[in-house]
Amino acid sequence: MGADAMWGYALGLAWKGLGRFPKSSLLAVMTVALGLAAAMCTLTLLHVLSTDPLPGRSQHLYSPYVDTVQGRLKGIWKNPANGVQWQMNVMKPADAQALLTPDRSVRQAAINETTAYISADGSRKHVNQNLLLTTHGFAAMFGLPLLQGRFWSAGEEQSPLAVISIDLARRLFGPASAIDKLVHIGKADFRIIGVSAPYRPEPHFFSMNQQWTFDASRQDDVYLPLQAALGAGITASESGSCDEHTKGGSGLLSDISQPRDLTHCEWLIPWVELDTPAQVAGYEAFVRHYAEDHRPLGRKPLSRLDSVAGWMRQNRVIPDHARLNLWLAVGFGLLCMVNVTGLLTARFLRRSQEVSIRRAIGATRRDIFAQCLFESCGICIVGGLLALPLTQAGLWILRHQQGDYNALARLDPAMFAALFLIAVLTGLLVGSIPAWRATRVSPGLHLKAV
């Protein structure tokens, strides 16, 4: 009998063996399914939380920071998801402008996120919307998808132009085109030159609004030129860190009764695009030297250049309890696999006489090992099939719990394939010891009892 025939014969015996002891087969399948489902629920959630927010782009995006605030009192922001102090690379306008020089990087953008009331031309209905005040490089750097029109150019930074989302365009103008329509924001009318598709990077990493890092239901609906927006009286969000003796107060002791002079406050988030390691090293040195030349009196120079991945790690965007839940689920899964190993060992040893007869008529230990291993993999594959609806049910429960990121818990094709790969590997691992134990059976002792 050829090798292919022997493997096919072993596979056939394994298939028949699955139905020989239905109770132990069902118990093993259920145990595998529960262990895999528990691990896959938490693994899927962690996979979604750690996914690249801008595939193909984020590895080239960096956010610089230098500390030039005069005085030690600085605003402290905490991430509501994990209580960790939020590390925002907000800077004073003069510093951001100095770092965003065109000759130092491929593209540059300064960002500030705020809210304002907006109304369509001639309408009395005002709606409060999320605004992103930025510069012309934002769309190309962050991949903002435009359905209609265009983004503004470098020469239009002071022009009252706007790009709005398709959702807002439909709310304000219905099915009609929003291009060249006017919207009133602040003290000025802005002409719409572009309409964007829904744009919700997860996590929402590029601004200071940590309140909706993983909230897929919220997005920036209006994009305005930074200079034009400030000229229209739109109030920018700021971090709470200002130079001492700044009008309106500084740091956490601000006098909210009078507006602050934002010239001396940190409120702009700079981003640059760097394509090569040499550009990254050169720009990092430039930021470091700038920090040394402009450091506040009495303090050491503080500077950094954060990549998107580095920013996510530093701010612990993935909650600690999500990692803890994964380890707990993996521990539960391992416990289930130990139980399955015991069930398979008892199952194979009950067939010692059958194994002895096969050995007596010429089957090798390799043939016995293959048969047992095929049977173990079959049980785990069936358990993987049953784990799929259990995983979906677990993710459904997660999506209906409180937490911004729980709504993201969905099984994507990659994790669907991972489930069955894990099922096969589990079959190989948990079946190896029972299969090896079955090959150690002494045929002579059991043939005497036949």
Side-chain angles (χ1 to χ4, degrees):
M1 184 179 293
D4 293 342
M6 286 297 295
W7 287 110
Y9 181 65
L11 185 59
L13 290 177
W15 178 254
K16 292 179 181 179
L18 291 176
R20 188 167 300 176
F21 304 104
K23 291 183 179 179
S24 65
S25 294
L26 180 61
L27 183 58
V29 166
M30 289 297 299
T31 305
V32 170
L34 288 174
L36 288 178
M40 287 304 298
C41 283
T42 55
L43 186 61
T44 298
L45 182 58
L46 193 64
H47 166 71
V48 172
L49 293 180
S50 57
T51 299
D52 188 346
L54 291 176
R57 295 180 182 274
S58 61
Q59 63 268 30
H60 301 298
L61 300 180
Y62 295 84
S63 180
Y65 174 74
V66 294
D67 178 17
T68 63
V69 174
Q70 300 294 331
R72 290 186 174 275
L73 191 58
K74 294 176 68 67
I76 299 176
W77 291 50
K78 288 189 177 182
N79 187 344
N82 53 27
V84 175
Q85 182 172 336
W86 194 264
Q87 194 72 62
M88 298 179 301
N89 291 350
V90 285
M91 296 169 55
K92 292 188 289 187
D95 298 323
Q97 184 177 5
L99 294 184
L100 298 182
T101 54
D103 58 328
R104 298 284 182 175
S105 56
V106 179
R107 294 187 183 93
Q108 315 82 32
I111 293 173
N112 183 273
E113 216 158 27
T114 186
T115 60
Y117 283 96
I118 178 174
S119 63
D121 185 31
S123 173
R124 295 183 178 180
K125 183 179 179 181
H126 292 72
V127 290
N128 194 25
Q129 296 296 139
N130 297 310
L131 274 61
L132 190 74
L133 315 183
T134 185
T135 53
H136 68 279
F138 175 84
M141 287 177 61
F142 292 88
L144 179 68
L146 292 179
L147 298 176
Q148 302 174 24
R150 62 180 179 87
F151 216 69
W152 61 87
S153 63
E156 297 174 315
E157 293 289 359
Q158 297 184 6
S159 302
L161 306 175
V163 174
I164 66 174
S165 69
I166 184 64
D167 297 332
L168 180 60
R170 289 170 178 168
R171 273 187 290 161
L172 293 178
F173 305 107
S177 174
I179 300 298
D180 289 331
K181 298 287 180 63
L182 296 179
V183 287
H184 187 80
I185 313 173
K187 302 176 182 178
D189 290 329
F190 288 78
R191 182 170 62 88
I192 299 172
I193 60 170
V195 176
S196 68
Y199 183 67
R200 302 180 181 94
E202 295 166 351
H204 187 85
F205 67 93
F206 51 79
S207 75
M208 68 173 67
N209 196 338
Q210 75 273 29
Q211 298 289 340
W212 40 294
T213 305
F214 283 107
D215 191 347
S217 65
R218 303 168 75 174
Q219 66 173 350
D220 296 302
D221 287 305
V222 184
Y223 303 86
L224 300 178
L226 178 63
Q227 296 181 39
L230 296 178
I234 297 174
T235 303
S237 300
E238 46 97 6
S239 67
S241 297
C242 299
D243 292 335
E244 288 182 337
H245 311 301
T246 298
K247 179 183 177 181
S250 63
L252 299 179
L253 301 180
S254 308
D255 181 2
I256 60 175
S257 64
Q258 55 178 312
R260 282 198 254 196
D261 180 6
L262 293 184
T263 305
H264 301 284
C265 294
E266 293 182 333
W267 58 277
L268 270 181
I269 301 179
W271 284 92
V272 295
E273 181 179 335
L274 304 170
D275 290 341
T276 65
Q279 289 179 344
V280 175
Y283 192 84
E284 191 169 20
F286 166 63
V287 173
R288 185 170 59 253
H289 293 153
Y290 184 89
E292 292 172 353
D293 294 339
H294 295 80
R295 66 186 178 91
L297 294 176
R299 297 218 303 269
K300 294 181 179 180
L302 174 61
S303 67
R304 59 178 175 264
L305 182 64
D306 292 331
S307 64
V308 174
W311 180 91
M312 291 173 63
R313 285 193 302 268
Q314 187 165 342
N315 287 289
R316 286 157 61 184
V317 171
I318 301 175
D320 292 337
H321 60 79
R323 301 181 190 275
L324 177 62
N325 290 340
L326 175 63
W327 286 112
L328 292 175
V330 169
F332 175 74
L334 290 176
L335 181 62
C336 290
M337 297 310 117
V338 170
N339 289 332
V340 171
T341 301
L343 286 171
L344 291 176
T345 301
R347 179 190 183 91
F348 294 155
L349 290 180
R350 287 177 63 185
R351 289 153 46 187
S352 296
Q353 288 185 351
E354 173 191 334
V355 171
S356 298
I357 293 173
R358 287 200 62 204
R359 291 291 309 281
I361 61 177
T364 63
R365 286 181 174 177
R366 180 182 178 185
D367 297 331
I368 302 301
F369 187 85
Q371 175 190 343
C372 294
L373 206 58
F374 284 149
E375 191 169 330
S376 171
C377 287
I379 287 175
C380 289
I381 289 175
V382 175
L385 291 172
L386 182 58
L388 180 59
L390 293 178
T391 301
Q392 295 284 26
L395 294 177
W396 181 85
I397 293 174
L398 278 177
R399 288 195 297 271
H400 287 78
Q401 292 181 346
Q402 291 184 349
D404 289 343
Y405 58 85
N406 286 333
L408 305 176
R410 299 182 184 277
L411 196 66
D412 59 20
M415 298 307 296
F416 180 80
L419 172 61
F420 289 98
L421 179 61
I422 292 174
V424 174
L425 293 177
T426 300
L428 294 174
L429 291 175
V430 304
S432 296
I433 295 178
W436 175 83
R437 183 67 181 83
T439 63
R440 299 291 99 185
V441 170
S442 176
L445 294 176
H446 292 282
L447 288 175
K448 293 177 180 179
V450 176

